[in-house]
Amino acid sequence: RTAVVLFTRDLRVHDNPALAAACANADRVVPLFVLDPKLAGLSPNRLRFLHQSLADLRATLRDRGGDLVLRTGDPVAETMKVAGEVGATMLGMAADVTAYARRRERRLTAECERERISLRLFPGVTIVDPGVLRPGGGGPAYKVFSPYHRAWQSATWRDEVATPRRITVPDGVAAGGMPAIGAGESPDAAGGGETEGRRRLGTWLNHLDPYPDLHDDLPADGTSRLSAYLRFGCVSPLALANAARQRNAEAYVRQLCWRDFYYQVVLTFPKISTDAYRPNADDTWRADPEALKHWQDGQTGVPIVDAGMRQLRAEGWMHNRARLITAAFLTKHLGVDWRPGLAWFFRWLIDGDVPNNSGNWQWVAGTGNDTRPYRRFNPIRQAQRFDPDGVYVRRYVPELKSVEGAAVHQPWRLPADIRRGLDYPGPLESHRDEAVWLRP
Ligand code: FAD
């Protein structure tokens, strides 16, 4: 019996239910990845990380006697072509929630029925399967995090699956050339792959203890930075959560629950990246291309905002606290629509994915189903609290390197002669709030 395993966002051999089941139930297994040219242009940073992850996966599979078969084109057509060539009777893949993924699943289901191939969808992208937990009051998904978190904590998680030791690929299947790894756009971006992800996970587990105190501390950089590895499935979210639970790191496990939460939201609300989740919440946005450009370039004149936006460009990643501050600045201070902000993040973030990016943008913009739609973020108070000595700002905004301590957060309050010596713009005007924090 021959099985095809279609890898998508589960680029790993450890705790990979689709791969483990294929190896247990078939004599020959074809690990397959199909590069969809339609997705290639979305984000050079993510494309680079993907290609690195594929190269790593191929090397790991080869170490186990197997290979990673690569094709380029429409994922459904290419998968069915490979399945036909090898006479596969089984096709396995991880279930996923986005509109793109579900369309792919539906098309594969129809094709497999026609070709009498048994298609099985496996867990693995999240910790608890989206759609399994149902709110007590009815409805297909939880709209609010806290009750979801309670249900999630007491849910039974699946067992981790064993890593296959040997993989036998049928003779005569062309492996296909590995795509050249591009430069991406961010010079300081993290490198992709399961090997690197597992290495970082190992290091991180020794740094979990101070997480509750440090995760909001901007200069400390005290978060796991595992998000991109979770995004591409180089690290199993379940294995990570189990390891954190063993160390009683509940605050960290709770963050992983946010990820699952947004996945189950997307299952019932697939248009989350274009439409407000809360009805009629999108009535009042402005279009302001000039202000948007200042924000994108990290030239708003508000140092904490500019530091975050520049970290995004430099690293393809931004600290969560800075994501909150920058997203709130665009929507609540400039009054600009959340969707261009979301699109900008989606281009640069290596961890950029539809459920988390859209869910969080809507949370900040107040268009989501969260219970506090009128939440405000005063960027200066945020800066003083989470970057009290200005270390984070000076790290990413070199024009302000000479300004010491917390004074760096409000350059407009510096004496005029010092201010004139800084090659740094004045703050953008507010279109929403009173912006009392701007007054000298
Ligand atoms: P850690 O603090 O180490 O957290 C561990 C993991 O928990 C993260 O890797 C992530 O998988 C999950 N997590 C933590 N916070 C959140 C959260 N608020 N929502 C969902 N999952 C969370 N995260 C993405 O993975 N992709 C995105 O596209 C994305 N876009 C965002 C956009 C905005 C406007 C905001 C405010 C947040 C966004 N986040 C996104 C959530 C969060 O900022 C990142 O997951 C986190 O900064 C990643 O860094 P880390 O791995 O060091 O996090």
Side-chain angles (χ1 to χ4, degrees):
R1 278 150 67 83
T2 302
V4 171
V5 178
L6 179 61
F7 282 83
T8 53
R9 305 181 32 181
D10 50 345
L11 304 179
R12 62 175 185 268
V13 298
H14 78 280
D15 187 41
N16 186 322
L19 178 66
C23 292
N25 296 311
D27 315 307
R28 289 170 299 275
V29 174
V30 183
L32 171 69
F33 188 90
V34 183
L35 288 151
D36 184 347
K38 279 204 231 113
L39 302 183
L42 288 181
S43 163
N45 277 346
R46 275 202 302 286
L47 197 62
R48 174 175 175 270
F49 194 95
L50 169 68
H51 290 172
Q52 289 169 329
S53 302
L54 293 174
D56 181 65
L57 183 60
R58 175 173 272 183
T60 309
L61 289 165
R62 284 184 175 172
D63 283 347
R64 286 169 164 71
D67 206 339
L68 179 66
V69 173
L70 278 171
R71 296 288 183 267
T72 301
D74 170 53
V76 175
E78 292 301 319
T79 302
M80 295 314 293
K81 216 193 287 176
V82 170
E85 280 163 18
V86 299
T89 52
M90 295 180 275
L91 171 63
M93 65 188 292
D96 201 349
V97 292
T98 59
Y100 172 89
R102 293 184 71 199
R103 201 165 42 245
R104 181 180 57 203
E105 283 172 14
R106 276 196 302 275
R107 287 181 57 212
L108 277 171
T109 305
E111 292 287 333
C112 282
E113 256 172 39
R114 205 178 6 252
E115 300 299 327
R116 295 178 185 279
I117 294 174
S118 135
L119 170 68
R120 265 185 78 190
L121 298 172
F122 290 87
V125 169
T126 50
I127 296 164
V128 173
D129 281 2
V132 165
L133 302 177
R134 297 292 165 110
Y142 280 89
K143 295 175 174 174
V144 178
F145 178 73
S146 303
Y148 177 77
H149 181 228
R150 278 194 294 278
W152 184 89
Q153 270 182 311
S154 49
T156 308
W157 295 355
R158 70 171 172 87
D159 291 333
E160 286 177 44
V161 298
T163 307
R165 292 221 185 101
R166 277 208 72 71
I167 293 152
T168 309
V169 178
D171 294 335
V173 192
M178 190 54 72
I181 294 170
E185 287 187 299
S186 296
D188 304 324
E194 180 179 17
T195 308
E196 178 61 11
R198 302 270 285 168
R199 189 190 67 75
R200 287 177 181 237
L201 184 148
T203 311
W204 169 246
L205 293 178
N206 297 321
H207 291 86
L208 264 174
D209 287 352
Y211 184 80
D213 297 327
L214 289 187
H215 78 279
D216 266 332
D217 183 328
L218 282 162
D221 206 2
T223 66
S224 65
R225 288 195 181 230
L226 286 171
S227 49
Y229 301 91
L230 291 165
R231 157 71 177 78
F232 285 93
C234 304
V235 162
S236 150
L238 177 69
L240 174 59
N242 280 334
R245 260 195 175 172
Q246 273 164 18
R247 288 160 179 80
N248 294 319
E250 275 309 316
Y252 184 72
V253 176
R254 187 174 186 275
Q255 289 311 111
L256 293 171
C257 180
W258 271 106
R259 183 173 176 275
D260 275 20
F261 172 72
Y262 286 128
Y263 276 72
Q264 58 95 49
V265 167
V266 164
L267 201 59
T268 49
F269 192 72
K271 292 172 84 178
I272 192 169
S273 59
T274 48
D275 296 353
Y277 194 18
R278 194 162 51 83
N280 308 322
D282 267 338
D283 298 342
T284 57
W285 303 115
R286 288 178 339 115
D288 186 341
E290 211 177 308
L292 177 68
K293 177 91 174 74
H294 283 292
W295 178 83
Q296 290 171 334
D297 291 344
Q299 295 285 352
T300 66
V302 180
I304 195 72
V305 174
D306 294 343
M309 296 308 291
R310 295 189 200 186
Q311 178 176 33
L312 177 64
R313 280 204 188 201
E315 301 173 14
W317 183 87
M318 196 200 297
H319 193 287
N320 180 60
R321 182 52 51 181
R323 295 188 202 200
L324 292 167
I325 297 169
T326 53
F329 188 83
L330 184 74
T331 52
K332 300 293 174 78
H333 179 74
L334 297 176
V336 169
D337 195 329
W338 54 277
R339 282 158 284 221
L342 171 135
W344 188 252
F345 271 32
F346 200 59
R347 165 175 161 188
W348 289 88
L349 284 174
I350 305 173
D351 65 33
D353 72 353
V354 171
N356 286 320
N357 198 27
S358 310
N360 277 287
W361 268 96
Q362 295 221 35
W363 186 90
V364 175
T367 57
N369 256 304
D370 135 79
T371 43
R372 289 166 62 199
Y374 303 105
R375 181 183 291 107
R376 288 280 185 274
F377 279 84
N378 175 329
I380 302 310
R381 247 187 267 138
Q382 291 278 316
Q384 287 162 343
R385 192 161 158 213
F386 300 112
D387 184 25
D389 298 319
V391 173
Y392 176 77
V393 162
R394 280 187 295 278
R395 191 179 295 159
Y396 293 102
V397 188
E399 305 96 287
L400 299 174
K401 266 212 152 68
S402 61
V403 185
E404 287 176 10
V408 78
H409 293 310
Q410 291 158 292
W412 53 89
R413 287 193 167 176
L414 294 168
D417 55 328
I418 298 184
R419 212 168 55 222
R420 269 196 300 276
L422 300 172
D423 181 20
Y424 188 70
L428 284 183
E429 196 188 324
S430 169
H431 286 269
R432 276 278 163 94
D433 288 342
E434 282 297 297
V436 279
W437 49 270
L438 274 176
R439 300 210 182 110

